[in-house]
Amino acid sequence: MLFYTIMKPLVQVALRVFFRRLEVRHRERLHGAGPLLIASNHPNTLMDPLVAAVNRRQPIAFLAKSTFFKNPILRAIMESGNSIPIYRRQDLETGAEILSPAQLEAQNEKAFGRCYDYFDRGGTIMIFPEGNSVSERRLRPLKTGAARIALGAEARRNFQLGLRILPFGINYFDPQRFRSDVFINPAEPILVADYAAQYRQDPEAAAEALTAEIRTRLEQRLVITVSDEEDELITQVERTFGQHLIQDDEETLYDNFQLSRTLLKASRYFGQHEPERLAELRQRLHAYLQQLAQMGLTDDALAARGPASTRARRALLASGRLLLGLPVYVYGLINNYLPYIIPSWVARRATSEAEFVAPIMLVVGMITFTGFYVGQTALVHHFTQDWRWTLLYFLSLPVSGYYALGYAGTLQERRRRLQALRLFGSQRPVMEGLLRQRATLLRLLREAREAYLARTS
């Protein structure tokens, strides 16, 4: 239980820094009393259990593949995080475990027994029925293990245990990028006892039916694309024009989630009924984004904000804030740059698999920031020999670092807008052409939305 006594507060802070926004819908479902089995999609390896663990008050035990337990150091970490090993047949086929099929079955029966005991104590267990983690907006076929564990636990108590399964949808908006967003979307829990009669007649059929219900509820809580081409189009529209397509003044991650699902449905509708409209939009969007990239611009740099009469004043105020905040930014940059840059450097060299980038950055970041903060604070105390200055310096490190992070984003935004203004002076016809492309794309998107809503309402 080391994770919950020592590491959980650190991970909570790390996740708040790593993600720009982490939003949980229907939080009461996640806080329901146990026994509870959380069945989640698995797009981002270690990040998936962490975002669940820090958002549920009750400790969670995790079912993890046995290969994670081979290394003594990794095994100690997994066990401290309350993990239970599961042995998979494919691990035998690749030689990852030296076990016969009979031994594998015996080990898994032992693991199932640990799960049953945990549920008897009102505990919570998290499982990933897809089996593997792949960084894409898909939901691969679900294994029946989650359903078999849940039904076995209930059958042992004559279906009086009260075990529920919580389908747990995790939606990352850009899983590899620091300061991206994650939307947690739990479904309505499933009462396992509802499958008692079917289980008594045919346990295998009951497990298949329960697995199908878990999948149905997960599908309703996720953004699921069917091809790389579809995913690319939806992602480009979301990131480029999402703020123009959401009607609410207060944009939430749930709004973004709803937009993504609507865009998916609309693209499939037009792909079937008006493919030429979809092809035109895809072609124009690709050309627009390609030209923006060539000129070192973003769509946001071209977007007009508010009435023209106030733009100069707002630009002046923004520049004034940047100027006043520059000393704090420089202080935060000097004191936080190395622990900030090392995690991304390590992640780029440690793996080429997208789903491992964010977990490596998070773990290395926790180590580097802790180590650098302790070392820098000790150095300051060595020179000042005054605990008040030492404490003040220590408290200034995370505050100035967080400020520097926000300042850098604002500075980059201002530079891009100034770049756009400069290009308007030196390449006005090209920039006016870009604005026309942008206006055409927004018009096509609005017309497509109106046509889709009119024909499907």
Side-chain angles (χ1 to χ4, degrees):
M1 296 298 288
L2 178 65
F3 173 83
Y4 284 95
T5 55
I6 298 176
M7 294 301 296
K8 185 175 178 179
L10 293 177
V11 173
Q12 284 176 318
V13 172
L15 288 177
R16 284 184 65 87
V17 173
F18 190 89
F19 291 113
R20 185 181 61 154
R21 287 186 294 178
L22 196 161
E23 183 179 313
V24 182
R25 185 167 173 81
H26 296 300
R27 189 178 290 271
E28 72 282 357
R29 294 174 181 172
L30 186 56
H31 291 317
L36 184 71
L37 178 62
I38 301 175
S40 174
N41 62 314
H42 200 18
N44 207 3
T45 55
L46 180 64
M47 303 299 275
D48 303 331
L50 289 180
V51 296
V54 300
N55 281 288
R56 179 166 169 81
R57 301 187 195 99
Q58 184 180 3
I60 302 175
F62 302 95
L63 290 177
K65 61 183 181 180
S66 60
T67 51
F68 284 139
F69 294 78
K70 290 192 68 181
N71 181 287
I73 297 175
L74 193 54
R75 180 172 64 246
I77 294 172
M78 297 297 289
E79 289 176 350
S80 72
N82 215 17
S83 297
I84 300 171
I86 287 290
Y87 294 78
R88 308 179 306 167
R89 190 165 286 106
Q90 59 262 43
D91 293 333
L92 292 181
E93 294 168 356
T94 59
E97 296 286 343
I98 307 175
L99 291 175
S100 68
Q103 289 174 317
L104 178 143
E105 193 65 31
Q107 289 284 8
N108 280 336
E109 286 299 324
K110 181 180 177 182
F112 281 20
R114 288 181 63 184
C115 294
Y116 299 157
D117 293 341
Y118 206 76
F119 287 139
D120 286 345
R121 298 193 297 270
T124 301
I125 294 176
M126 188 173 193
I127 189 171
F128 302 98
E130 292 173 283
N132 290 313
S133 177
V134 179
S135 183
E136 55 185 20
R137 295 199 283 192
R138 308 280 198 276
L139 186 62
R140 294 172 300 284
L142 304 188
K143 309 291 193 297
T144 59
R148 290 191 293 117
I149 290 172
L151 290 165
E154 277 289 0
R156 198 168 77 149
R157 297 299 178 200
N158 197 28
F159 287 89
Q160 300 298 312
L161 182 61
L163 175 62
R164 295 169 302 125
I165 297 177
L166 180 68
F168 190 77
I170 308 177
N171 296 273
Y172 296 95
F173 290 89
D174 195 352
Q176 299 176 54
R177 186 170 62 86
F178 178 65
R179 300 300 289 168
S180 60
D181 300 329
V182 57
F183 176 55
I184 299 172
N185 198 11
E188 187 73 30
I190 303 168
L191 187 62
V192 180
D194 290 344
Y195 291 80
Q198 190 173 7
Y199 180 84
R200 291 180 180 120
Q201 280 191 331
D202 187 341
E204 289 299 321
E208 293 287 350
L210 183 51
T211 302
E213 181 61 24
I214 294 171
R215 181 178 185 88
T216 297
R217 299 198 186 194
L218 277 175
E219 288 174 340
Q220 295 168 351
R221 295 299 183 275
L222 296 170
V223 176
I224 302 173
T225 58
V226 297
S227 68
D228 291 340
E229 183 183 47
E230 181 181 71
D231 191 43
E232 181 183 31
L233 174 63
I234 300 307
T235 300
Q236 288 176 341
V237 174
E238 290 169 343
R239 294 180 185 173
T240 310
F241 298 118
Q243 70 274 24
H244 301 286
L245 299 174
I246 294 174
Q247 301 299 307
D248 295 348
D249 293 333
E250 293 282 334
E251 179 187 334
T252 66
L253 294 185
Y254 178 65
D255 293 327
N256 293 339
F257 170 78
Q258 292 283 68
L259 172 64
S260 299
R261 286 179 61 92
T262 301
L263 287 172
L264 275 172
K265 292 176 184 176
S267 70
R268 291 166 188 171
Y269 173 86
F270 288 118
Q272 182 179 359
H273 296 94
E274 294 185 48
E276 65 286 346
R277 186 199 289 259
L278 189 63
E280 180 188 7
L281 178 62
R282 180 179 281 115
Q283 184 272 327
R284 286 181 177 274
L285 182 59
H286 177 74
Y288 174 67
L289 293 176
Q290 192 174 45
Q291 191 169 358
L292 282 177
Q294 289 171 354
M295 303 183 75
L297 296 174
T298 62
D299 177 77
D300 196 53
L302 298 181
R305 297 181 178 177
S309 58
T310 63
R311 285 178 203 161
R313 183 172 60 85
R314 285 186 286 109
L316 187 61
L317 287 173
S319 300
R321 285 195 295 268
L322 286 174
L323 186 62
L324 289 173
L326 183 60
V328 182
Y329 166 68
V330 172
Y331 176 84
L333 182 67
I334 292 171
N335 283 281
N336 290 272
Y337 182 74
L338 283 177
Y340 169 78
I341 204 67
I342 288 173
S344 59
W345 183 87
V346 170
R348 285 196 304 269
R349 284 155 181 78
T351 183
S352 59
E353 299 179 64
E355 56 271 14
F356 285 95
V357 170
I360 291 174
M361 288 176 63
L362 182 76
V363 172
V364 175
M366 290 173 62
I367 295 170
T368 57
F369 274 99
T370 302
F372 272 86
Y373 280 10
V374 170
Q376 290 167 215
T377 303
L379 195 62
V380 167
H381 185 69
H382 173 75
F383 285 109
T384 64
Q385 294 296 314
D386 188 329
W387 68 267
R388 289 167 297 187
W389 280 110
T390 302
L391 179 62
L392 183 63
Y393 175 75
F394 178 75
L395 293 176
S396 76
L397 291 176
V399 174
S400 64
Y402 202 76
Y403 178 83
L405 192 63
Y407 185 99
T410 304
L411 183 62
Q412 186 178 51
E413 180 184 333
R414 292 302 307 164
R415 287 170 61 184
R416 284 174 175 160
R417 294 186 77 83
L418 289 173
Q419 167 77 348
L421 288 173
R422 185 183 66 80
L423 289 172
F424 265 109
S426 62
Q427 302 182 44
R428 191 171 190 85
V430 175
M431 294 299 289
E432 288 177 345
L434 262 179
L435 287 178
R436 285 193 296 271
Q437 288 185 59
R438 185 176 188 276
T440 299
L441 278 167
L442 283 170
R443 176 179 56 80
L444 289 173
L445 284 168
R446 292 191 183 103
E447 288 175 354
R449 180 178 61 186
E450 291 168 6
Y452 171 72
L453 292 175
R455 294 169 194 177
T456 59
S457 58

